[in-house]
PDB file of all heavy atoms in Angstrom:
ATOM      1  N   ASP A 105      -5.159 -11.898   0.495  1.00  0.00           N
ATOM      2  CA  ASP A 105      -6.416 -11.543   1.031  1.00  0.00           C
ATOM      3  C   ASP A 105      -6.879 -10.163   0.656  1.00  0.00           C
ATOM      4  O   ASP A 105      -8.039  -9.729   1.047  1.00  0.00           O
ATOM      5  CB  ASP A 105      -6.467 -11.664   2.581  1.00  0.00           C
ATOM      6  CG  ASP A 105      -5.549 -10.757   3.220  1.00  0.00           C
ATOM      7  OD1 ASP A 105      -4.639 -10.026   2.523  1.00  0.00           O
ATOM      8  OD2 ASP A 105      -5.404 -10.748   4.454  1.00  0.00           O
ATOM      9  N   GLY A 106      -6.190  -9.504  -0.047  1.00  0.00           N
ATOM     10  CA  GLY A 106      -6.520  -8.111  -0.614  1.00  0.00           C
ATOM     11  C   GLY A 106      -6.509  -7.006   0.430  1.00  0.00           C
ATOM     12  O   GLY A 106      -6.961  -5.957   0.262  1.00  0.00           O
ATOM     13  N   ALA A 107      -5.885  -7.362   1.622  1.00  0.00           N
ATOM     14  CA  ALA A 107      -5.809  -6.360   2.695  1.00  0.00           C
ATOM     15  C   ALA A 107      -4.576  -5.435   2.615  1.00  0.00           C
ATOM     16  O   ALA A 107      -4.640  -4.336   3.317  1.00  0.00           O
ATOM     17  CB  ALA A 107      -5.819  -7.161   4.048  1.00  0.00           C
ATOM     18  N   ALA A 108      -3.590  -5.772   1.842  1.00  0.00           N
ATOM     19  CA  ALA A 108      -2.342  -4.919   1.907  1.00  0.00           C
ATOM     20  C   ALA A 108      -1.737  -5.072   0.480  1.00  0.00           C
ATOM     21  O   ALA A 108      -1.884  -6.113  -0.101  1.00  0.00           O
ATOM     22  CB  ALA A 108      -1.474  -5.386   2.960  1.00  0.00           C
ATOM     23  N   ALA A 109      -0.797  -4.108   0.312  1.00  0.00           N
ATOM     24  CA  ALA A 109       0.077  -4.123  -1.018  1.00  0.00           C
ATOM     25  C   ALA A 109       1.203  -3.282  -0.735  1.00  0.00           C
ATOM     26  O   ALA A 109       1.241  -2.366   0.077  1.00  0.00           O
ATOM     27  CB  ALA A 109      -0.788  -3.624  -2.119  1.00  0.00           C
ATOM     28  N   ILE A 110       2.281  -3.647  -1.630  1.00  0.00           N
ATOM     29  CA  ILE A 110       3.509  -2.767  -1.687  1.00  0.00           C
ATOM     30  C   ILE A 110       3.552  -2.319  -3.113  1.00  0.00           C
ATOM     31  O   ILE A 110       3.495  -3.226  -4.021  1.00  0.00           O
ATOM     32  CB  ILE A 110       4.710  -3.478  -1.216  1.00  0.00           C
ATOM     33  CG1 ILE A 110       4.569  -3.842   0.272  1.00  0.00           C
ATOM     34  CG2 ILE A 110       5.924  -2.669  -1.499  1.00  0.00           C
ATOM     35  CD1 ILE A 110       5.826  -4.505   0.869  1.00  0.00           C
ATOM     36  N   VAL A 111       3.698  -1.116  -3.293  1.00  0.00           N
ATOM     37  CA  VAL A 111       3.723  -0.442  -4.680  1.00  0.00           C
ATOM     38  C   VAL A 111       5.125   0.153  -4.846  1.00  0.00           C
ATOM     39  O   VAL A 111       5.548   0.962  -4.102  1.00  0.00           O
ATOM     40  CB  VAL A 111       2.684   0.551  -4.955  1.00  0.00           C
ATOM     41  CG1 VAL A 111       2.684   1.138  -6.178  1.00  0.00           C
ATOM     42  CG2 VAL A 111       1.267   0.016  -4.552  1.00  0.00           C
ATOM     43  N   ARG A 112       5.752  -0.269  -5.973  1.00  0.00           N
ATOM     44  CA  ARG A 112       7.035   0.275  -6.420  1.00  0.00           C
ATOM     45  C   ARG A 112       6.724   1.373  -7.384  1.00  0.00           C
ATOM     46  O   ARG A 112       6.044   1.222  -8.389  1.00  0.00           O
ATOM     47  CB  ARG A 112       7.886  -0.794  -7.096  1.00  0.00           C
ATOM     48  CG  ARG A 112       9.082  -0.389  -7.704  1.00  0.00           C
ATOM     49  CD  ARG A 112      10.092   0.086  -6.697  1.00  0.00           C
ATOM     50  NE  ARG A 112      11.251   0.904  -7.422  1.00  0.00           N
ATOM     51  CZ  ARG A 112      12.364   0.377  -7.728  1.00  0.00           C
ATOM     52  NH1 ARG A 112      12.603  -0.982  -7.538  1.00  0.00           N
ATOM     53  NH2 ARG A 112      13.361   1.028  -8.357  1.00  0.00           N
ATOM     54  N   GLY A 113       7.333   2.531  -7.108  1.00  0.00           N
ATOM     55  CA  GLY A 113       7.191   3.644  -7.990  1.00  0.00           C
ATOM     56  C   GLY A 113       8.551   3.934  -8.809  1.00  0.00           C
ATOM     57  O   GLY A 113       9.481   3.203  -8.562  1.00  0.00           O
ATOM     58  N   THR A 114       8.541   5.101  -9.583  1.00  0.00           N
ATOM     59  CA  THR A 114       9.728   5.411 -10.227  1.00  0.00           C
ATOM     60  C   THR A 114      10.738   5.821  -9.366  1.00  0.00           C
ATOM     61  O   THR A 114      10.552   6.259  -8.258  1.00  0.00           O
ATOM     62  CB  THR A 114       9.362   6.526 -11.304  1.00  0.00           C
ATOM     63  OG1 THR A 114       8.835   7.772 -10.556  1.00  0.00           O
ATOM     64  CG2 THR A 114       8.333   6.063 -12.272  1.00  0.00           C
ATOM     65  N   GLY A 115      11.954   5.657  -9.751  1.00  0.00           N
ATOM     66  CA  GLY A 115      13.078   5.951  -8.896  1.00  0.00           C
ATOM     67  C   GLY A 115      13.148   5.003  -7.666  1.00  0.00           C
ATOM     68  O   GLY A 115      13.064   3.745  -7.842  1.00  0.00           O
ATOM     69  N   ASP A 116      13.313   5.609  -6.432  1.00  0.00           N
ATOM     70  CA  ASP A 116      13.376   4.684  -5.273  1.00  0.00           C
ATOM     71  C   ASP A 116      12.029   4.733  -4.449  1.00  0.00           C
ATOM     72  O   ASP A 116      12.013   4.340  -3.389  1.00  0.00           O
ATOM     73  CB  ASP A 116      14.543   5.042  -4.430  1.00  0.00           C
ATOM     74  CG  ASP A 116      15.584   3.964  -4.441  1.00  0.00           C
ATOM     75  OD1 ASP A 116      15.452   3.063  -5.088  1.00  0.00           O
ATOM     76  OD2 ASP A 116      16.553   4.268  -3.701  1.00  0.00           O
ATOM     77  N   ASP A 117      10.959   5.241  -4.985  1.00  0.00           N
ATOM     78  CA  ASP A 117       9.672   5.421  -4.333  1.00  0.00           C
ATOM     79  C   ASP A 117       8.959   4.187  -4.157  1.00  0.00           C
ATOM     80  O   ASP A 117       8.954   3.170  -4.839  1.00  0.00           O
ATOM     81  CB  ASP A 117       8.708   6.277  -5.112  1.00  0.00           C
ATOM     82  CG  ASP A 117       9.231   7.677  -5.256  1.00  0.00           C
ATOM     83  OD1 ASP A 117      10.007   8.162  -4.612  1.00  0.00           O
ATOM     84  OD2 ASP A 117       8.604   8.404  -6.135  1.00  0.00           O
ATOM     85  N   ILE A 118       8.590   3.950  -2.761  1.00  0.00           N
ATOM     86  CA  ILE A 118       7.901   2.632  -2.345  1.00  0.00           C
ATOM     87  C   ILE A 118       6.752   3.148  -1.576  1.00  0.00           C
ATOM     88  O   ILE A 118       6.803   3.936  -0.737  1.00  0.00           O
ATOM     89  CB  ILE A 118       8.800   1.841  -1.593  1.00  0.00           C
ATOM     90  CG1 ILE A 118      10.005   1.417  -2.422  1.00  0.00           C
ATOM     91  CG2 ILE A 118       7.981   0.560  -1.070  1.00  0.00           C
ATOM     92  CD1 ILE A 118      11.031   0.673  -1.538  1.00  0.00           C
ATOM     93  N   ALA A 119       5.552   2.572  -1.736  1.00  0.00           N
ATOM     94  CA  ALA A 119       4.330   2.996  -1.078  1.00  0.00           C
ATOM     95  C   ALA A 119       3.826   1.761  -0.331  1.00  0.00           C
ATOM     96  O   ALA A 119       3.775   0.596  -0.962  1.00  0.00           O
ATOM     97  CB  ALA A 119       3.252   3.490  -2.017  1.00  0.00           C
ATOM     98  N   LEU A 120       3.413   1.711   0.902  1.00  0.00           N
ATOM     99  CA  LEU A 120       2.687   0.721   1.605  1.00  0.00           C
ATOM    100  C   LEU A 120       1.266   0.970   1.614  1.00  0.00           C
ATOM    101  O   LEU A 120       0.895   2.219   1.938  1.00  0.00           O
ATOM    102  CB  LEU A 120       3.261   0.666   3.056  1.00  0.00           C
ATOM    103  CG  LEU A 120       4.739   0.291   3.157  1.00  0.00           C
ATOM    104  CD1 LEU A 120       5.074   0.235   4.617  1.00  0.00           C
ATOM    105  CD2 LEU A 120       5.126  -0.993   2.550  1.00  0.00           C
ATOM    106  N   VAL A 121       0.434   0.004   1.342  1.00  0.00           N
ATOM    107  CA  VAL A 121      -1.014   0.199   1.422  1.00  0.00           C
ATOM    108  C   VAL A 121      -1.572  -0.806   2.246  1.00  0.00           C
ATOM    109  O   VAL A 121      -1.281  -2.042   2.081  1.00  0.00           O
ATOM    110  CB  VAL A 121      -1.615   0.050  -0.127  1.00  0.00           C
ATOM    111  CG1 VAL A 121      -3.135   0.275  -0.030  1.00  0.00           C
ATOM    112  CG2 VAL A 121      -0.980   1.025  -1.104  1.00  0.00           C
ATOM    113  N   LYS A 122      -2.514  -0.437   3.176  1.00  0.00           N
ATOM    114  CA  LYS A 122      -3.142  -1.440   3.986  1.00  0.00           C
ATOM    115  C   LYS A 122      -4.490  -0.910   4.339  1.00  0.00           C
ATOM    116  O   LYS A 122      -4.827   0.191   4.208  1.00  0.00           O
ATOM    117  CB  LYS A 122      -2.366  -1.637   5.316  1.00  0.00           C
ATOM    118  CG  LYS A 122      -2.370  -0.547   6.350  1.00  0.00           C
ATOM    119  CD  LYS A 122      -1.614  -1.144   7.538  1.00  0.00           C
ATOM    120  CE  LYS A 122      -1.735  -0.032   8.633  1.00  0.00           C
ATOM    121  NZ  LYS A 122      -1.010  -0.484   9.912  1.00  0.00           N
ATOM    122  N   ARG A 123      -5.415  -2.017   4.550  1.00  0.00           N
ATOM    123  CA  ARG A 123      -6.790  -1.696   4.837  1.00  0.00           C
ATOM    124  C   ARG A 123      -6.922  -1.200   6.258  1.00  0.00           C
ATOM    125  O   ARG A 123      -6.326  -1.639   7.208  1.00  0.00           O
ATOM    126  CB  ARG A 123      -7.675  -3.046   4.713  1.00  0.00           C
ATOM    127  CG  ARG A 123      -9.099  -2.894   5.038  1.00  0.00           C
ATOM    128  CD  ARG A 123      -9.985  -4.105   4.815  1.00  0.00           C
ATOM    129  NE  ARG A 123      -9.297  -5.243   5.400  1.00  0.00           N
ATOM    130  CZ  ARG A 123      -9.396  -6.528   4.851  1.00  0.00           C
ATOM    131  NH1 ARG A 123      -9.994  -6.568   3.737  1.00  0.00           N
ATOM    132  NH2 ARG A 123      -8.836  -7.475   5.322  1.00  0.00           N
ATOM    133  N   HIS A 124      -7.666  -0.151   6.475  1.00  0.00           N
ATOM    134  CA  HIS A 124      -8.019   0.560   7.565  1.00  0.00           C
ATOM    135  C   HIS A 124      -9.445   0.797   7.793  1.00  0.00           C
ATOM    136  O   HIS A 124      -9.940   1.849   7.308  1.00  0.00           O
ATOM    137  CB  HIS A 124      -7.215   1.819   7.801  1.00  0.00           C
ATOM    138  CG  HIS A 124      -7.302   2.448   9.128  1.00  0.00           C
ATOM    139  ND1 HIS A 124      -6.653   2.040  10.174  1.00  0.00           N
ATOM    140  CD2 HIS A 124      -7.900   3.679   9.423  1.00  0.00           C
ATOM    141  CE1 HIS A 124      -7.009   2.726  11.163  1.00  0.00           C
ATOM    142  NE2 HIS A 124      -7.737   3.777  10.785  1.00  0.00           N
ATOM    143  N   GLY A 125     -10.101  -0.363   8.233  1.00  0.00           N
ATOM    144  CA  GLY A 125     -11.611  -0.218   8.468  1.00  0.00           C
ATOM    145  C   GLY A 125     -12.113  -0.438   6.950  1.00  0.00           C
ATOM    146  O   GLY A 125     -11.822  -1.350   6.305  1.00  0.00           O
ATOM    147  N   ALA A 126     -13.024   0.459   6.506  1.00  0.00           N
ATOM    148  CA  ALA A 126     -13.517   0.531   5.173  1.00  0.00           C
ATOM    149  C   ALA A 126     -12.694   1.279   4.201  1.00  0.00           C
ATOM    150  O   ALA A 126     -13.209   1.403   2.988  1.00  0.00           O
ATOM    151  CB  ALA A 126     -15.033   0.863   5.199  1.00  0.00           C
ATOM    152  N   GLN A 127     -11.597   1.799   4.524  1.00  0.00           N
ATOM    153  CA  GLN A 127     -10.804   2.718   3.727  1.00  0.00           C
ATOM    154  C   GLN A 127      -9.437   2.026   3.629  1.00  0.00           C
ATOM    155  O   GLN A 127      -9.117   0.988   4.069  1.00  0.00           O
ATOM    156  CB  GLN A 127     -10.668   4.080   4.350  1.00  0.00           C
ATOM    157  CG  GLN A 127     -12.096   4.815   4.588  1.00  0.00           C
ATOM    158  CD  GLN A 127     -12.748   5.112   3.262  1.00  0.00           C
ATOM    159  OE1 GLN A 127     -12.042   5.430   2.242  1.00  0.00           O
ATOM    160  NE2 GLN A 127     -14.013   4.888   3.223  1.00  0.00           N
ATOM    161  N   PHE A 128      -8.486   2.781   3.041  1.00  0.00           N
ATOM    162  CA  PHE A 128      -7.137   2.328   2.807  1.00  0.00           C
ATOM    163  C   PHE A 128      -6.288   3.374   3.438  1.00  0.00           C
ATOM    164  O   PHE A 128      -6.471   4.574   3.259  1.00  0.00           O
ATOM    165  CB  PHE A 128      -6.756   2.144   1.526  1.00  0.00           C
ATOM    166  CG  PHE A 128      -7.604   0.918   0.819  1.00  0.00           C
ATOM    167  CD1 PHE A 128      -8.578   1.201   0.043  1.00  0.00           C
ATOM    168  CD2 PHE A 128      -7.228  -0.423   1.123  1.00  0.00           C
ATOM    169  CE1 PHE A 128      -9.451   0.165  -0.508  1.00  0.00           C
ATOM    170  CE2 PHE A 128      -8.039  -1.447   0.632  1.00  0.00           C
ATOM    171  CZ  PHE A 128      -8.987  -1.152  -0.263  1.00  0.00           C
TER     172      PHE A 128
END
């Protein structure tokens, strides 16, 4: 639904992204 994502970065970096109103 495009409301969230998990991003894998270099090394062991992990980012969580989620919709929060009209922003992220």
